[in-house]
Amino acid sequence: MSKFNLSIFVGVMVLTAACSARVATNASQPAAAQDGPYDVLVTNKVGGDGGFDYVNADSQGRRLYVARRGPSPHIAVYNLDSMSFDGDLTGVGAHGAVVDNKYHHGFASSKPVVMFDSKTLATVKNVDVDGSPDGMICDPFNDRVYVLSHQAPNLTVIDAKDGSVLGTIDIGGAPEQAATDGAGHLYVDIEDKGAVAVIDTNTMKMTGSYDLGGKGGGNAGLAMDAKNHVLFVACRDPQVMVMLDANDGKYLSSLPIGRGCDGVVFNPKTHEAFSSQGDGTLTIIKEDSPTTFSVEQTVKTMMGAKTCTLDSKTGHILLIAAEYGAAPTPAAGGSGRQRRGPMVPGSFSVVVVGKN
């Protein structure tokens, strides 16, 4: 073999070996195979029993709140830095919890709504509300908590200072997630109407509605770039993120996302929106300018990790999910609808996504 041919042979062998090593590495670490700055940093198997819905990070108080439902309902609280167990609100059956940092009061979306001290986790009072509490948001603009309900009244407004009910707001449909501009306006996606409601938080009145105009439907997630007045509306049918001008509802753009979205957060420091999906993916939308957007990356997370929260201090996105056993065989003559198997004991996890 000539020196020239030998050099080519050696070069090909080195390249082949390098490619094989890379394929092997990616096969054992599928999340690392994705192009982009984000990856799953750690999956914390914190365990615990019961179903789950929303997860919420109190970035200032450095705590993570996870509501668990089932025979022994409770809200599990974890240290946001170490993910160690920090405490529990026992006997509270809720979809989620939020915290007001001015008065250090937390609120659980239970019925009645449980108001608690966010430092000691002691119950302060129970707040009677109508409807069926689901999602929640705390607006620091006037320290009010908004309880979302698919049944009327759609929004119940609570004063975070003393837990008094200030009023209710009907938006004509089923609310899923809300976002605030921090300047007196609240935006609420209406899942069954393909629209976004606009609320004046001073008057507690709905002042308008932005129709998605067929660009998206089944909108189950909403986040906002308050500085540039951009709304990010995550939809299930079709599976897209629709961007709207918050000033007038003008359509800006739409981009594909994964299946089964149920939560969106926006990081104003990086100008990125994160949409969590039940198919085990996290879609990251980059705001290249206030009118142009692109899919920056899709991160593989964990099946069922459909809700998320942002730790504004670290820039980490936290998601919750669990592993499940084999599903039972549908009974003969039944609907034929496949049910999910039992949760694998100890498998409930907090997935942390961030930049390496």
Side-chain angles (χ1 to χ4, degrees):
M1 183 179 291
S2 68
K3 292 182 177 180
F4 177 74
N5 289 336
L6 180 61
S7 298
I8 294 177
F9 176 78
V10 172
V12 170
M13 291 301 292
V14 171
L15 181 60
T16 301
C19 290
S20 297
R22 183 175 181 181
V23 169
T25 300
N26 289 343
S28 62
Q29 297 177 320
Q34 300 152 112
D35 294 327
Y38 289 89
D39 201 353
V40 173
L41 301 181
V42 63
T43 299
N44 300 282
K45 282 195 174 183
V46 296
D49 300 323
F52 50 90
D53 195 356
Y54 294 107
V55 55
N56 182 64
D58 175 11
S59 299
Q60 184 173 320
R62 308 309 299 157
R63 278 177 161 173
L64 185 74
Y65 294 85
V66 182
R68 306 298 300 271
R69 303 192 301 275
S72 301
H74 63 284
I75 295 179
V77 185
Y78 302 93
N79 182 290
L80 198 51
D81 297 305
S82 66
M83 212 51 62
S84 59
F85 184 71
D86 228 9
D88 211 352
L89 282 82
T90 59
V92 180
H95 285 267
V98 297
V99 170
D100 178 81
N101 290 122
K102 180 177 180 179
Y103 296 109
H104 304 290
H105 286 154
F107 296 83
S109 58
S110 51
K111 188 171 182 178
V113 169
V114 174
M115 176 180 174
F116 59 93
D117 186 311
S118 63
K119 291 184 177 181
T120 65
L121 301 182
T123 298
V124 175
K125 64 187 292 188
N126 291 330
V127 182
D128 290 325
V129 296
D130 292 324
S132 180
D134 186 2
M136 297 182 86
I137 184 174
C138 181
D139 187 359
F141 170 71
N142 49 14
D143 296 290
R144 291 176 178 176
V145 172
Y146 297 83
V147 184
L148 311 184
S149 167
H150 283 201
Q151 302 172 14
N154 304 125
L155 279 76
T156 299
V157 188
I158 298 175
D159 190 330
K161 181 180 180 179
D162 57 15
S164 59
V165 175
L166 301 176
T168 61
I169 307 169
D170 286 325
I171 60 174
E176 270 295 302
Q177 192 172 5
T180 175
D181 66 357
H185 300 96
L186 188 75
Y187 301 86
V188 186
D189 64 351
I190 311 177
E191 182 182 24
D192 56 345
K193 301 295 183 181
V196 176
V198 184
I199 308 293
D200 183 322
T201 61
N202 289 304
T203 63
M204 294 188 293
K205 301 291 185 182
M206 178 176 168
T207 59
S209 177
Y210 298 154
D211 193 285
L212 297 182
K215 301 294 184 180
N219 36 309
L222 183 68
M224 183 179 189
D225 174 0
K227 179 180 178 181
N228 292 311
H229 309 285
V230 177
L231 294 171
F232 294 84
V233 190
C235 302
R236 295 176 177 173
D237 184 22
Q239 297 163 193
V240 295
M241 180 80 80
V242 178
M243 277 64 72
L244 302 177
D245 186 326
N247 295 306
D248 54 13
K250 177 184 176 182
Y251 170 79
L252 299 175
S253 180
S254 60
L255 291 167
I257 60 174
R259 176 176 52 83
C261 67
D262 204 22
V264 185
V265 293
F266 181 79
N267 187 341
K269 296 178 182 178
T270 62
H271 294 93
E272 294 165 323
F274 302 81
S275 174
S276 52
Q277 287 98 212
D279 63 1
T281 61
L282 178 72
T283 304
I284 304 172
I285 305 292
K286 180 70 174 182
E287 183 183 304
D288 300 308
S289 79
T291 57
T292 57
F293 313 85
S294 60
V295 176
E296 179 180 22
Q297 188 181 359
T298 300
V299 179
K300 184 176 180 181
T301 56
M302 188 172 174
M303 287 295 295
K306 63 186 180 68
T307 58
C308 65
T309 186
L310 169 70
D311 179 358
S312 60
K313 179 181 177 180
T314 63
H316 292 166
I317 307 301
L318 299 100
L319 310 95
I320 51 176
E323 300 169 15
Y324 294 88
T329 302
S335 65
R337 183 177 180 180
Q338 190 75 12
R339 292 184 296 167
R340 188 167 58 187
M343 184 186 296
V344 175
S347 70
F348 179 76
S349 302
V350 178
V351 181
V352 182
V353 173
K355 293 182 178 179
N356 284 315

